[in-house]
Structures are given as C-alpha cells and as structure tokens.
Coordinates of all heavy atoms in Angstrom, one line a residue:
M1 N 78.7 -92.2 87.3 CA 78.3 -92.3 86.0 C 79.4 -91.8 85.0 O 80.2 -91.0 85.4 CB 77.2 -91.2 85.8 CG 75.9 -91.6 86.4 SD 74.6 -90.8 85.5 CE 74.9 -91.3 83.8
H2 N 79.5 -92.4 83.9 CA 80.5 -92.1 82.9 C 80.0 -92.2 81.5 O 78.9 -92.7 81.3 CB 81.7 -93.1 83.1 CG 81.3 -94.5 82.9 ND1 80.9 -95.3 83.9 CD2 81.3 -95.3 81.8 CE1 80.6 -96.5 83.5 NE2 80.9 -96.5 82.2
S3 N 80.7 -91.6 80.6 CA 80.4 -91.7 79.2 C 80.8 -93.1 78.6 O 82.0 -93.4 78.6 CB 81.0 -90.6 78.4 OG 80.8 -90.7 77.0
E4 N 79.9 -93.9 78.2 CA 80.2 -95.2 77.6 C 80.6 -95.1 76.2 O 81.2 -96.0 75.6 CB 79.1 -96.1 77.9 CG 78.8 -96.4 79.3 CD 77.7 -97.4 79.5 OE1 77.1 -97.9 78.5 OE2 77.3 -97.7 80.7
H5 N 80.1 -94.1 75.5 CA 80.2 -94.1 74.0 C 81.3 -93.2 73.4 O 81.7 -93.4 72.3 CB 78.8 -93.7 73.4 CG 77.7 -94.6 73.9 ND1 77.6 -95.9 73.6 CD2 76.7 -94.3 74.8 CE1 76.6 -96.5 74.2 NE2 76.0 -95.5 74.9
A6 N 81.7 -92.1 74.1 CA 82.6 -91.2 73.5 C 83.2 -90.3 74.6 O 82.7 -90.1 75.6 CB 81.8 -90.3 72.5
G7 N 84.4 -89.7 74.2 CA 85.0 -88.7 74.9 C 84.9 -87.4 74.1 O 84.5 -87.4 73.0
G8 N 85.1 -86.2 74.8 CA 85.0 -85.0 74.1 C 84.8 -83.8 75.1 O 85.2 -83.9 76.3
L9 N 84.1 -82.8 74.7 CA 83.8 -81.6 75.5 C 82.7 -81.9 76.4 O 81.6 -82.3 76.0 CB 83.5 -80.4 74.6 CG 83.3 -79.1 75.3 CD1 84.5 -78.6 75.9 CD2 82.8 -78.1 74.3
F10 N 82.9 -81.7 77.7 CA 81.9 -82.1 78.7 C 81.0 -80.8 79.0 O 81.5 -79.8 79.4 CB 82.6 -82.5 80.0 CG 81.7 -82.8 81.2 CD1 80.8 -83.9 81.1 CD2 81.7 -82.0 82.3 CE1 80.0 -84.2 82.2 CE2 80.9 -82.3 83.4 CZ 80.0 -83.4 83.3
V11 N 79.7 -80.9 78.8 CA 78.8 -79.8 79.0 C 77.7 -80.2 80.0 O 76.7 -80.9 79.6 CB 78.1 -79.4 77.6 CG1 77.2 -78.2 77.8 CG2 79.1 -79.1 76.6
P12 N 77.9 -79.9 81.3 CA 77.0 -80.3 82.3 C 75.7 -79.5 82.2 O 75.7 -78.3 81.9 CB 77.7 -80.0 83.6 CG 78.7 -79.0 83.3 CD 79.1 -79.2 81.8
L13 N 74.6 -80.2 82.5 CA 73.3 -79.6 82.6 C 72.7 -79.5 84.0 O 71.7 -78.8 84.2 CB 72.3 -80.4 81.7 CG 72.7 -80.6 80.2 CD1 71.8 -81.5 79.5 CD2 72.8 -79.2 79.5
V14 N 73.4 -80.2 84.9 CA 73.0 -80.1 86.4 C 74.3 -80.0 87.1 O 75.4 -80.2 86.6 CB 72.3 -81.4 86.8 CG1 70.9 -81.5 86.1 CG2 73.1 -82.6 86.6
G15 N 74.2 -79.7 88.4 CA 75.4 -79.6 89.3 C 75.2 -80.3 90.6 O 74.2 -80.8 90.9
P16 N 76.3 -80.3 91.4 CA 76.2 -80.9 92.8 C 75.1 -80.3 93.6 O 74.8 -79.1 93.6 CB 77.6 -80.5 93.4 CG 78.5 -80.3 92.2 CD 77.6 -79.7 91.2
G17 N 74.3 -81.2 94.2 CA 73.2 -80.8 95.1 C 71.9 -80.9 94.3 O 70.8 -80.9 95.0
D18 N 71.9 -81.0 93.0 CA 70.6 -81.0 92.2 C 70.0 -82.4 92.4 O 70.7 -83.5 92.4 CB 70.9 -80.8 90.8 CG 71.2 -79.3 90.5 OD1 71.1 -78.5 91.4 OD2 71.7 -79.1 89.3
C19 N 68.7 -82.5 92.5 CA 67.9 -83.7 92.5 C 67.7 -84.1 91.0 O 67.4 -83.2 90.2 CB 66.6 -83.6 93.2 SG 66.8 -83.4 95.0
V20 N 67.9 -85.4 90.7 CA 67.7 -85.8 89.4 C 66.8 -87.1 89.4 O 66.7 -87.8 90.4 CB 69.1 -86.1 88.7 CG1 69.9 -84.9 88.6 CG2 69.9 -87.2 89.5
V21 N 66.2 -87.3 88.2 CA 65.4 -88.5 88.1 C 66.0 -89.4 87.0 O 66.7 -89.0 86.1 CB 63.9 -88.2 87.7 CG1 63.3 -87.4 88.9 CG2 63.8 -87.4 86.5
R22 N 65.7 -90.7 87.1 CA 66.1 -91.7 86.2 C 65.8 -91.3 84.8 O 64.7 -90.9 84.5 CB 65.5 -93.0 86.5 CG 65.9 -94.1 85.6 CD 65.2 -95.4 86.0 NE 65.7 -96.4 85.1 CZ 65.0 -97.5 84.8 NH1 63.8 -97.7 85.4 NH2 65.5 -98.4 84.0
G23 N 66.8 -91.3 83.9 CA 66.6 -90.9 82.5 C 66.8 -89.5 82.1 O 66.8 -89.1 80.9
Q24 N 66.9 -88.6 83.1 CA 67.0 -87.2 82.9 C 68.4 -86.9 82.3 O 69.4 -87.5 82.6 CB 66.9 -86.4 84.2 CG 67.2 -84.9 84.2 CD 67.1 -84.3 85.5 OE1 66.6 -84.8 86.5 NE2 67.7 -83.1 85.6
A25 N 68.5 -85.9 81.4 CA 69.8 -85.6 80.8 C 70.6 -84.8 81.8 O 70.2 -83.8 82.3 CB 69.6 -84.7 79.5
L26 N 71.8 -85.3 82.1 CA 72.7 -84.7 83.1 C 73.8 -83.9 82.4 O 74.2 -82.9 82.9 CB 73.3 -85.7 84.0 CG 72.4 -86.6 84.8 CD1 73.3 -87.5 85.7 CD2 71.4 -85.8 85.6
A27 N 74.2 -84.3 81.3 CA 75.3 -83.7 80.5 C 75.3 -84.2 79.1 O 74.8 -85.3 78.8 CB 76.6 -83.9 81.2
E28 N 75.9 -83.4 78.3 CA 76.2 -83.8 76.9 C 77.7 -83.9 76.7 O 78.5 -83.1 77.3 CB 75.7 -82.8 75.9 CG 74.2 -82.7 75.9 CD 73.6 -81.6 75.0 OE1 74.4 -80.7 74.7 OE2 72.5 -81.7 74.7
V29 N 78.2 -84.9 76.0 CA 79.5 -85.0 75.5 C 79.5 -84.6 74.1 O 78.9 -85.2 73.2 CB 80.1 -86.4 75.7 CG1 81.5 -86.5 75.2 CG2 80.0 -86.8 77.2
R30 N 80.2 -83.5 73.8 CA 80.2 -82.9 72.4 C 81.6 -83.2 71.7 O 82.6 -83.2 72.3 CB 79.9 -81.5 72.4 CG 78.5 -81.2 72.9 CD 78.2 -79.7 72.9 NE 76.8 -79.5 73.1 CZ 75.9 -79.4 72.1 NH1 76.3 -79.4 70.8 NH2 74.6 -79.2 72.4
D31 N 81.5 -83.3 70.4 CA 82.7 -83.5 69.6 C 83.5 -82.2 69.7 O 83.0 -81.1 69.6 CB 82.3 -83.7 68.1 CG 83.5 -84.0 67.2 OD1 84.2 -83.1 66.8 OD2 83.6 -85.2 67.0
T32 N 84.8 -82.3 69.8 CA 85.7 -81.1 70.0 C 85.9 -80.4 68.7 O 86.4 -79.2 68.7 CB 87.0 -81.5 70.6 OG1 87.6 -82.5 69.8 CG2 86.9 -82.0 72.0
F33 N 85.6 -81.0 67.6 CA 85.8 -80.3 66.3 C 84.6 -79.6 65.8 O 84.6 -78.5 65.4 CB 86.3 -81.3 65.2 CG 87.7 -81.9 65.6 CD1 87.8 -83.2 66.0 CD2 88.8 -81.1 65.5 CE1 89.0 -83.7 66.4 CE2 90.1 -81.6 65.8 CZ 90.2 -82.9 66.3
D34 N 83.4 -80.3 65.8 CA 82.2 -79.7 65.2 C 81.1 -79.4 66.2 O 80.1 -78.8 65.8 CB 81.7 -80.5 64.0 CG 81.2 -81.9 64.5 OD1 81.0 -82.1 65.7 OD2 80.9 -82.8 63.6
G35 N 81.3 -79.8 67.4 CA 80.3 -79.5 68.5 C 79.1 -80.3 68.5 O 78.2 -80.1 69.3
S36 N 79.0 -81.4 67.6 CA 77.9 -82.2 67.6 C 77.8 -83.1 68.9 O 78.9 -83.4 69.5 CB 77.9 -83.1 66.4 OG 79.0 -84.0 66.4
V37 N 76.6 -83.5 69.3 CA 76.5 -84.3 70.5 C 76.9 -85.7 70.2 O 76.3 -86.3 69.3 CB 75.0 -84.2 71.1 CG1 74.8 -85.1 72.3 CG2 74.6 -82.8 71.4
R38 N 77.8 -86.2 71.0 CA 78.3 -87.6 70.8 C 77.7 -88.5 71.8 O 77.6 -89.7 71.6 CB 79.8 -87.6 70.9 CG 80.5 -86.8 69.8 CD 82.0 -86.9 69.8 NE 82.4 -88.2 69.4 CZ 83.6 -88.7 69.5 NH1 84.5 -88.0 70.1 NH2 83.9 -89.9 69.1
D39 N 77.3 -88.0 73.0 CA 76.7 -88.8 74.0 C 75.9 -87.9 74.9 O 76.2 -86.7 75.1 CB 77.8 -89.6 74.8 CG 77.2 -90.7 75.6 OD1 76.0 -91.1 75.5 OD2 78.0 -91.3 76.4
T40 N 74.8 -88.4 75.5 CA 74.1 -87.7 76.6 C 74.1 -88.6 77.8 O 73.7 -89.8 77.7 CB 72.6 -87.5 76.1 OG1 72.7 -86.7 74.9 CG2 71.9 -86.7 77.2
L41 N 74.6 -88.1 78.9 CA 74.6 -88.9 80.1 C 73.3 -88.8 80.9 O 72.8 -87.7 81.1 CB 75.8 -88.3 81.0 CG 77.1 -88.2 80.4 CD1 78.2 -87.8 81.4 CD2 77.6 -89.6 79.8
R42 N 72.8 -90.0 81.3 CA 71.5 -90.1 82.0 C 71.7 -91.0 83.1 O 72.3 -92.1 83.0 CB 70.4 -90.6 81.0 CG 70.2 -89.7 79.8 CD 69.2 -90.2 78.8 NE 69.1 -89.4 77.6 CZ 68.4 -88.3 77.5 NH1 67.7 -87.9 78.6 NH2 68.4 -87.6 76.4
P43 N 71.1 -90.7 84.3 CA 71.3 -91.5 85.5 C 70.4 -92.7 85.4 O 69.2 -92.7 84.9 CB 70.9 -90.6 86.6 CG 69.9 -89.7 86.0 CD 70.4 -89.5 84.6
P44 N 70.8 -93.9 86.0 CA 70.0 -95.1 86.0 C 69.0 -95.1 87.2 O 68.2 -96.0 87.3 CB 71.0 -96.2 86.1 CG 72.2 -95.6 86.9 CD 72.2 -94.1 86.4
I45 N 69.2 -94.1 88.1 CA 68.4 -94.1 89.3 C 67.9 -92.6 89.6 O 68.5 -91.7 89.1 CB 69.1 -94.6 90.5 CG1 70.4 -93.8 90.8 CG2 69.5 -96.1 90.4 CD1 71.1 -94.1 92.1
D46 N 66.9 -92.5 90.5 CA 66.6 -91.2 91.0 C 67.6 -90.9 92.2 O 68.0 -91.8 92.9 CB 65.2 -91.2 91.6 CG 64.1 -91.4 90.6 OD1 64.4 -91.3 89.4 OD2 63.0 -91.6 91.0
G47 N 67.9 -89.6 92.4 CA 68.9 -89.3 93.5 C 69.3 -87.9 93.4 O 68.7 -87.0 92.8
R48 N 70.4 -87.6 94.1 CA 71.0 -86.3 94.2 C 72.4 -86.3 93.7 O 73.2 -87.2 94.1 CB 70.9 -85.8 95.6 CG 71.3 -84.3 95.8 CD 71.2 -83.9 97.3 NE 69.8 -83.9 97.7 CZ 68.9 -82.9 97.5 NH1 69.3 -81.8 96.9 NH2 67.7 -83.0 97.9
V49 N 72.8 -85.4 92.9 CA 74.2 -85.3 92.4 C 75.1 -84.9 93.6 O 74.9 -83.8 94.2 CB 74.3 -84.2 91.3 CG1 75.8 -84.1 90.8 CG2 73.4 -84.6 90.1
F50 N 76.1 -85.7 93.9 CA 77.0 -85.3 95.0 C 78.4 -85.1 94.4 O 79.3 -84.6 95.1 CB 77.0 -86.2 96.2 CG 77.7 -87.5 96.0 CD1 79.0 -87.7 96.4 CD2 76.9 -88.6 95.6 CE1 79.6 -88.9 96.3 CE2 77.5 -89.8 95.5 CZ 78.9 -90.0 95.8
F51 N 78.6 -85.4 93.2 CA 79.9 -85.1 92.5 C 79.6 -84.8 91.0 O 78.8 -85.5 90.4 CB 80.9 -86.3 92.6 CG 82.1 -86.1 91.7 CD1 83.2 -85.3 92.0 CD2 82.1 -86.7 90.4 CE1 84.3 -85.2 91.2 CE2 83.2 -86.6 89.6 CZ 84.3 -85.8 90.0
S52 N 80.3 -83.8 90.5 CA 80.2 -83.5 89.1 C 81.6 -83.1 88.6 O 82.2 -82.3 89.2 CB 79.2 -82.3 88.8 OG 79.2 -81.9 87.5
R53 N 81.9 -83.6 87.5 CA 83.2 -83.3 86.9 C 83.3 -81.8 86.6 O 82.4 -81.2 86.1 CB 83.4 -84.1 85.6 CG 84.6 -83.9 84.8 CD 84.6 -84.8 83.6 NE 85.9 -84.7 83.0 CZ 87.0 -85.5 83.4 NH1 86.8 -86.3 84.3 NH2 88.1 -85.3 82.8
S54 N 84.5 -81.2 86.8 CA 84.6 -79.8 86.5 C 85.5 -79.5 85.3 O 85.5 -78.5 84.8 CB 85.2 -79.1 87.7 OG 86.5 -79.6 88.1
A55 N 86.3 -80.5 84.9 CA 87.2 -80.4 83.8 C 86.4 -80.3 82.5 O 85.4 -81.0 82.3 CB 88.2 -81.5 83.7
P56 N 86.8 -79.5 81.5 CA 86.0 -79.3 80.3 C 86.1 -80.4 79.3 O 85.2 -80.6 78.4 CB 86.6 -78.0 79.7 CG 88.0 -77.9 80.2 CD 87.9 -78.5 81.6
L57 N 87.1 -81.3 79.4 CA 87.2 -82.5 78.5 C 87.0 -83.7 79.3 O 87.4 -83.8 80.5 CB 88.6 -82.5 77.9 CG 88.9 -81.4 76.9 CD1 90.3 -81.5 76.4 CD2 87.9 -81.3 75.8
V58 N 86.4 -84.7 78.7 CA 86.1 -86.0 79.4 C 86.5 -87.1 78.4 O 86.3 -87.0 77.2 CB 84.6 -86.1 79.8 CG1 83.7 -86.1 78.6 CG2 84.4 -87.3 80.7
N59 N 87.2 -88.1 78.9 CA 87.5 -89.3 78.1 C 86.4 -90.3 78.3 O 85.7 -90.4 79.3 CB 88.9 -89.9 78.6 CG 90.0 -89.0 78.3 OD1 90.1 -88.4 77.3 ND2 91.0 -88.9 79.3
Q60 N 86.3 -91.2 77.3 CA 85.4 -92.3 77.4 C 85.7 -93.1 78.7 O 86.8 -93.4 79.0 CB 85.5 -93.2 76.2 CG 84.5 -94.3 76.1 CD 84.6 -95.1 74.8 OE1 85.6 -95.0 74.1 NE2 83.7 -96.0 74.6
Y61 N 84.7 -93.4 79.4 CA 84.7 -94.2 80.7 C 85.2 -93.4 81.9 O 85.4 -93.9 83.0 CB 85.5 -95.5 80.6 CG 84.9 -96.4 79.5 CD1 85.6 -96.7 78.4 CD2 83.6 -96.9 79.7 CE1 85.0 -97.6 77.4 CE2 83.0 -97.7 78.7 CZ 83.7 -98.0 77.6 OH 83.2 -98.9 76.6
S62 N 85.6 -92.1 81.7 CA 86.0 -91.3 82.9 C 84.7 -90.9 83.7 O 83.6 -90.7 83.2 CB 86.6 -90.0 82.4 OG 87.8 -90.2 81.8
I63 N 84.9 -90.9 85.0 CA 83.8 -90.6 85.9 C 83.3 -89.1 85.7 O 84.2 -88.2 85.7 CB 84.1 -90.8 87.4 CG1 84.5 -92.2 87.6 CG2 83.0 -90.3 88.3 CD1 83.3 -93.2 87.4
A64 N 82.1 -88.9 85.4 CA 81.5 -87.6 85.2 C 80.6 -87.1 86.3 O 80.6 -85.9 86.7 CB 80.8 -87.5 83.9
F65 N 79.9 -88.0 86.9 CA 78.9 -87.7 88.0 C 78.9 -88.9 89.0 O 79.2 -90.0 88.6 CB 77.5 -87.6 87.5 CG 77.2 -86.4 86.7 CD1 77.2 -86.5 85.3 CD2 77.0 -85.2 87.3 CE1 77.0 -85.3 84.5 CE2 76.7 -84.0 86.5 CZ 76.7 -84.1 85.1
K66 N 78.6 -88.6 90.2 CA 78.2 -89.6 91.2 C 76.9 -89.2 91.8 O 76.6 -88.0 92.1 CB 79.3 -89.7 92.3 CG 80.6 -90.2 91.8 CD 81.6 -90.5 92.9 CE 82.8 -91.1 92.3 NZ 83.8 -91.4 93.3
I67 N 76.0 -90.1 91.8 CA 74.6 -89.9 92.3 C 74.3 -90.7 93.6 O 74.6 -91.9 93.6 CB 73.6 -90.4 91.2 CG1 73.9 -89.8 89.8 CG2 72.2 -90.1 91.6 CD1 73.8 -88.4 89.7
A68 N 73.8 -89.9 94.6 CA 73.4 -90.6 95.8 C 71.9 -90.9 95.7 O 71.1 -90.1 95.4 CB 73.6 -89.6 97.0
P69 N 71.6 -92.2 95.9 CA 70.2 -92.6 95.8 C 69.4 -91.9 96.9 O 69.9 -91.6 98.0 CB 70.2 -94.1 96.0 CG 71.6 -94.5 96.2 CD 72.5 -93.3 96.2
Q70 N 68.1 -91.7 96.6 CA 67.2 -91.1 97.6 C 66.1 -92.1 98.0 O 65.7 -92.9 97.3 CB 66.5 -89.8 97.1 CG 67.5 -88.7 97.0 CD 66.9 -87.4 96.7 OE1 66.0 -87.3 95.9 NE2 67.4 -86.4 97.4

C-alpha cells in the first residue's frame, strides 16, 4: 500500500501483526507545515499487516504497508 495523493508526515494507526479489514484507516499522511490530513491510507482487502513503514516522512507512491491476505 502507498499514498496515492500526497507525501508528508507518516502517522501509523496500526502496526505489523495487526489484523485489518478492507477500508479501515491504517495511517494518515499529514502536511509537514500545518499538520492537516492530506491522505488516509486504507487497505483494499482484509488481511494482516506484515510490513509497516518506520520512517516519519513518506513520499507520494512510497510503500507504507504490505498486507498479507487472510
């Protein structure tokens, strides 16, 4: 999974090993100047997070999560 709309401050809401459902908010990408939410990352499938980005900044289209289907 990646941010299609914006880069900025990466604020994860889940971590590796967490079960997630399609459409659940996994992370927010926030503007580095005013903190407003620029994008919310949501999985297209149900599954388990097996990779989560650890760097605090994310560029547009950078991989933020990998989800293993269940």
Side-chain angles (χ1 to χ4, degrees):
M1 289 206 51
H2 60 271
S3 174
E4 294 182 2
H5 305 291
L9 185 64
F10 178 68
V11 182
L13 305 173
V14 299
D18 289 348
C19 288
V20 296
V21 295
R22 181 181 180 202
Q24 175 183 343
L26 302 184
E28 294 175 340
V29 178
R30 294 186 167 261
D31 187 281
T32 55
F33 295 107
D34 66 14
S36 63
V37 176
R38 298 183 72 192
D39 197 5
T40 301
L41 305 182
R42 299 177 186 278
I45 60 170
D46 295 348
R48 186 176 298 271
V49 177
F50 75 91
F51 167 82
S52 176
R53 179 179 189 83
S54 60
L57 295 176
V58 64
N59 291 321
Q60 187 176 8
Y61 300 115
S62 293
I63 298 296
F65 290 99
K66 292 189 179 181
I67 310 293
Q70 290 192 316

